[in-house]
Amino acid sequence: ESKLGDGYSQRCADGLNTLDEQNTWKFLLSDTDADTLEAFFVARAGWDAFSWQPPRYAASANWICLNWSREYLAGGWSRMTATIKRVWNI
């Protein structure tokens, strides 16, 4: 965006992939599955992209997990929340 004065501005796309897609996903998992997902996020350390097809998406894409949290629930269950961002490189 370029500010032109008097409240006017001009915007244009910068590159081929201009949409910044970032979502917060919530998962209700068994403790065992939550351990596996958490280990997956730790192994990628927030920078290593992984291929994933979220629900209702037509195709998989490359994503990184920026951060996550885990809440331990009763009966061997965990609730995880993860901020996932689409990236355009591998």
Side-chain angles (χ1 to χ4, degrees):
E1 180 178 13
S2 298
K3 303 285 185 181
L4 303 174
D6 292 333
Y8 291 95
S9 64
Q10 181 178 10
R11 290 167 302 286
C12 66
D14 183 20
L16 296 173
N17 303 304
T18 59
L19 294 177
D20 186 22
E21 188 172 354
Q22 180 174 312
N23 299 295
T24 300
W25 292 88
K26 296 183 179 185
F27 306 91
L28 179 61
L29 303 165
S30 69
D31 282 344
T32 302
D33 288 342
D35 289 343
T36 301
L37 183 57
E38 192 165 30
F40 180 84
F41 290 152
V42 167
R44 275 134 195 89
W47 65 268
D48 189 14
F50 53 90
S51 180
W52 182 46
Q53 183 177 348
R56 299 188 178 149
Y57 277 58
S60 63
N62 292 319
W63 303 82
I64 57 172
C65 180
L66 300 174
N67 57 62
W68 70 91
S69 63
R70 181 174 179 177
E71 178 185 359
Y72 292 91
L73 305 174
W77 291 91
S78 291
R79 179 179 294 122
M80 292 186 68
T81 303
T83 303
I84 309 290
K85 180 178 181 178
R86 186 171 185 178
V87 293
W88 301 97
N89 59 349
I90 297 176

